C-alpha cells in the first residue's frame, strides 16, 4: 500500500473526489462533506494539510476558479482509489488474505 493510503483522512478526501458528480469539488465543499461523514468539525489546518499532501504527492490537482479552490483527482489518484476499492471488495467477499 502506498503511503498516502495510510492516512484515513487523505483516503477519504480521495473517495469523496472520486464520487463527486462532475469529478471535482470546491475545497470548502470537500471539507464540509468530510465533516458530515465524520460527524465532527475538522480544524482547517489539519484538513488543508492533508489536501496539500495529496497535491504535493500528485494524487489531487487544485486550481483557483474565481475565489474558490477547486480540487479533482489526477489519473494517479483515481488509479489508487480504484486499487483500494478492489482490495476492500476482495477483503469483504473473500477471506481477507493477500494472494
Amino acid at each position: 500500500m502506498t503511503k498516502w493510503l495510510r492516512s484515513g483522512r487523505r483516503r477519504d478526501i480521495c473517495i469523496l473526489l472520486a464520487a463527486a458528480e462532475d469529478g471535482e469539488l470546491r475545497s470548502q465543499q470537500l471539507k464540509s462533506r468530510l465533516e458530515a461523514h465524520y460527524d465532527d468539525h475538522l480544524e482547517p489546518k489539519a484538513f488543508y494539510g492533508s489536501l496539500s499532501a495529496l497535491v504535493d504527492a500528485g494524487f489531487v490537482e487544485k486550481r483557483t476558479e474565481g475565489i474558490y479552490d477547486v480540487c479533482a483527482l489526477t489519473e494517479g489518484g483515481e488509479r489508487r482509489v480504484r486499487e483500494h476499492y478492489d482490495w476492500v471488495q476482495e477483503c469483504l467477499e473473500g477471506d481477507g488474505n493477500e494472494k
Side-chain angles (χ1 to χ4, degrees), residues 45-56:
K45 184 176 180 177
F47 170 76
Y48 287 103
S50 295
L51 187 58
S52 291
L54 288 166
V55 170
D56 292 345

Side-chain angles (χ1 to χ4, degrees), residues 25-54:
L25 289 170
R26 292 180 183 165
S27 58
Q28 188 56 47
Q29 290 174 309
L30 187 55
K31 183 177 180 290
S32 294
R33 289 183 187 188
L34 203 56
E35 289 174 330
H37 175 68
Y38 293 163
D39 195 26
D40 197 12
H41 172 75
L42 290 173
E43 290 299 321
K45 184 176 180 177
F47 170 76
Y48 287 103
S50 295
L51 187 58
S52 291
L54 288 166

Side-chain angles (χ1 to χ4, degrees), residues 76-88:
E78 177 74 25
R79 184 176 63 251
R80 300 297 179 154
V81 167
R82 295 294 167 197
E83 288 171 358
H84 186 73
Y85 173 83
D86 291 343
W87 177 75
V88 169

